[in-house]
Amino acid sequence: MRVHVVIAAAVVGLSACSSLGEAPVTPDSRAGLFDEVFAAYERTGRFSGVVLAAEGDELIFAKAYGLADRESETPNRIDTVFDPGSVAKPFLAVVILSLVEDEVVGFDDSPMRYISGLDPLIWGDVTIRQLLSHTAGVMDHADADGFFAAGVGADLSREDLLAYFRDEPLLFEPDSRYRYSNFGYSLLAMIAEAASKTTYPELLEERVFKPAGMTDTTWGTSMTAGGAKGYVRDFGGATDAGPYSSASASIGAGDIVTTAMDLWRFDRALSKGALLRHDTMTDMIAPHAEDRDRGRAYGYGWELYDVDGSHPMVRRAGHAGLALHMTAVIERDLKTDGFFAILSNIRDSDDVINNVPPPLIHAMQSDARHLLTGKNVSPPRPSLVEAFLVSRSTQGFEAAFAEMQEREITASNKWSFSPNEVVLAVFGDLWGDYEECERLTLFAIERSSDPWLLYETLGDIRSAAGDVEGALTAYKKALQDMPYREYLLDSIASLEARP
């Protein structure tokens, strides 16, 4: 690989990566734009981590921002290790697909062939293919009673983990729809172990890390090797050290620690056929399921963007990750051979509401995508909603609301205003005071060109306040734009079933 442009602190981290090449650094205007935009994200207080962008074997940009450890004031470096959460899913997909190539497992095999004690009345129609594409109907972590309270941070045996979902009914008939399932990917890791008679960490090392040259990536989510410490940030600004999830509790779903440079090595190994055959690679990034809620498709372990349903042609494949204390995203441009990775050791609290993507990591993903393709991106502006919350904590709701209205009228170009942030504020700081929640949400609806999420939130507010008719009106308004959204359909059915 050839180092193209590296900004400032990035050079420090590259000293351990000499195998990437010694070509002279040449200028690229995109590098300065990347730095301008992500330095602005750092100034918001909501991003601290590493950003890397490349095209083929040429590194366009890499830089570390913020602190890996706030107590010791240790800065992040290019080679700092992070927990990327569900960015681990493409790695599991590679393991499973390599086992398919070796005829150790088959796409249409049942989990019951490898895992004992599964009820055929539940699992009889489930296949490995469906587990890979999240179309098996297996429940997710959020559906399991007590998992987030006790399981996610515990050192669980495979049997203990299975106990959370093994005997639970499927959420729908296999192959009838898409629903993301971390448990489904954990089951795949267990299948891989049983079929190969090799532990999943060993499979990762043998079939992914070693052939890709990923020397700084390991199985596990603890930061014993001096990696970044994770922090959870309240939407009002307070930041505290966050908890770590257990790799054994999320095996196959979110169970590695890695660096931005190693993620680029993973991309290069995939592109050059070092991990899978070409036909297998093509199948992995083909659309096997439609994620209607988020307007994208899903392959085997990859989120697929810009899918042309008439061909079908996939332009980009990637995956976002949310650990308990960190966020991450990788994306591959299949047309230009572009790649970027964003790793952050700050995660906003309450940043997953009703399975809606958190605003920050996806905003950064969109900006990196545009920057890499040479499009202009404006640096992020201060959040109007966050300023409102800070003001509310000292002046009260009325004064803060009036101040927000004045800022929006007189200086809207200086502030960002995101519907997602309104949702986070409602379900976080404001929840319980339903009048305040409704006023802020209606304020946002009036200013949004795509208000379905806000109408859904308004439905939640009114439902919690006991206004059934008002809730139904809001939910049905949201349903006009999102007719297949499960949460809306379930909420409407539940309210209409009330006596």
Side-chain angles (χ1 to χ4, degrees):
M1 297 180 188
R2 184 159 69 89
V3 178
H4 203 158
V5 170
V6 182
I7 300 292
V11 176
V12 176
L14 285 175
S15 62
C17 302
S18 58
S19 62
L20 294 177
E22 302 297 338
V25 173
T26 57
D28 189 309
S29 61
R30 290 174 294 180
L33 295 174
F34 263 100
D35 192 35
E36 179 184 356
V37 168
F38 282 93
Y41 274 116
E42 182 190 13
R43 289 194 295 272
T44 68
R46 298 172 67 194
F47 169 65
S48 167
V50 175
V51 181
L52 179 150
E55 279 182 347
D57 290 344
E58 295 184 357
L59 183 63
I60 303 300
F61 175 79
K63 185 173 179 179
Y65 299 87
L67 298 175
D69 188 324
R70 295 183 176 218
E71 287 71 26
S72 65
E73 297 187 347
T74 302
N76 278 315
R77 296 163 45 103
I78 295 302
D79 57 356
T80 296
V81 174
F82 292 80
D83 174 359
S86 287
V87 171
K89 286 184 172 67
F91 292 79
L92 176 129
V94 170
V95 168
I96 291 291
L97 291 172
S98 70
L99 293 173
V100 171
E101 286 185 344
D102 293 344
E103 299 183 354
V104 177
V105 298
F107 275 130
D108 297 319
D109 288 349
S110 167
M112 295 188 299
R113 179 175 177 180
Y114 306 99
I115 308 297
S116 62
L118 297 182
D119 186 345
L121 294 177
I122 298 173
W123 296 96
D125 294 328
V126 173
T127 66
I128 286 177
R129 187 189 306 274
Q130 294 159 357
L131 292 170
L132 280 168
S133 59
H134 297 292
T135 57
V138 180
M139 65 191 300
D140 191 27
H141 289 170
D143 304 310
D145 290 341
F147 184 77
F148 281 117
V152 72
D155 186 12
L156 299 179
S157 68
R158 305 292 187 263
E159 184 63 27
D160 290 338
L161 182 57
L162 267 174
Y164 277 99
F165 64 93
R166 177 181 53 204
D167 298 324
E168 297 296 326
L170 299 179
L171 300 178
F172 50 81
E173 182 181 344
D175 244 357
S176 65
R177 67 173 78 169
Y178 167 94
R179 193 174 192 273
Y180 192 84
S181 173
N182 285 290
F183 283 138
Y185 266 60
S186 291
L187 182 59
L188 283 168
M190 297 180 208
I191 289 170
E193 289 185 321
S196 66
K197 297 180 173 55
T198 307
T199 69
Y200 184 61
E202 290 173 327
L203 288 169
L204 282 172
E205 184 67 32
E206 295 169 3
R207 293 174 179 263
V208 186
F209 302 159
K210 188 174 180 179
M214 301 174 68
T215 55
D216 295 319
T217 302
T218 59
W219 184 84
T221 54
S222 63
M223 295 298 170
T224 55
K229 180 181 289 186
Y231 297 90
V232 177
R233 182 182 185 277
D234 289 341
F235 200 51
T239 305
D240 298 306
Y244 286 96
S245 57
S246 163
S248 63
S250 53
I251 183 171
D255 57 349
I256 66 171
V257 292
T258 190
T259 66
M261 193 63 70
D262 265 7
L263 290 170
W264 183 29
R265 291 188 176 104
F266 178 55
D267 165 72
R268 293 292 77 214
L270 286 171
S271 295
K272 296 178 179 181
L275 304 179
L276 296 170
R277 297 194 310 255
H278 176 74
D279 61 319
T280 306
M281 274 287 303
T282 300
D283 197 25
M284 181 169 69
I285 57 174
H288 295 287
E290 183 182 3
D291 182 356
R292 289 172 170 172
D293 281 358
R294 300 186 185 181
R296 67 189 182 201
Y298 204 89
Y300 295 148
W302 293 90
E303 299 166 353
L304 306 177
Y305 320 107
D306 301 323
V307 179
D308 185 341
S310 63
H311 288 93
M313 178 67 71
V314 177
R315 170 66 187 268
R316 298 180 179 89
H319 216 292
L322 296 174
L324 289 180
H325 55 304
M326 298 189 188
T327 59
V329 67
I330 61 172
E331 186 172 299
R332 309 174 67 224
D333 189 316
L334 305 174
K335 181 178 180 180
T336 66
D337 208 15
F339 171 80
F340 64 81
I342 304 169
L343 301 169
S344 177
N345 61 321
I346 295 178
R347 173 177 172 172
D348 287 340
S349 62
D350 302 320
D351 63 0
V352 179
I353 305 296
N354 295 339
N355 205 29
V356 172
L360 187 65
I361 192 63
H362 289 274
M364 292 193 292
Q365 179 183 12
S366 177
D367 284 351
R369 178 186 301 159
H370 290 145
L371 288 166
L372 191 56
T373 54
K375 296 179 181 178
N376 291 328
V377 171
S378 299
R381 295 168 292 173
S383 165
L384 186 62
V385 176
E386 184 161 2
F388 157 76
L389 290 177
V390 173
S391 180
R392 175 180 175 271
S393 67
T394 57
Q395 303 181 60
F397 178 86
E398 293 299 338
F401 192 74
E403 182 181 62
M404 179 175 63
Q405 290 175 306
E406 179 67 18
R407 284 171 169 166
E408 195 270 338
I409 293 170
T410 62
S412 61
N413 63 327
K414 295 181 180 180
W415 299 89
S416 68
F417 187 73
S418 164
N420 294 64
E421 291 181 347
V422 171
V423 174
L424 299 184
V426 164
F427 286 97
D429 294 65
L430 272 64
W431 193 250
D433 191 322
Y434 302 123
E435 181 181 350
E436 290 186 5
C437 290
E438 178 152 343
R439 287 178 63 186
L440 179 62
T441 305
L442 289 171
F443 174 82
I445 286 172
E446 292 173 1
R447 288 153 180 81
S448 176
S449 60
D450 186 23
W452 72 266
L453 175 58
L454 294 165
Y455 276 114
E456 178 182 287
T457 302
L458 185 62
D460 291 341
I461 295 165
R462 290 173 174 174
S463 179
D467 180 6
V468 173
E469 289 303 317
L472 283 171
T473 298
Y475 284 141
K476 289 177 180 178
K477 188 74 173 177
L479 197 66
Q480 292 175 11
D481 292 327
M482 299 293 288
Y484 301 106
R485 183 160 166 78
E486 260 186 72
Y487 181 80
L488 285 169
L489 295 170
D490 291 345
S491 298
I492 292 170
S494 175
L495 289 176
E496 289 181 337
R498 290 187 182 182

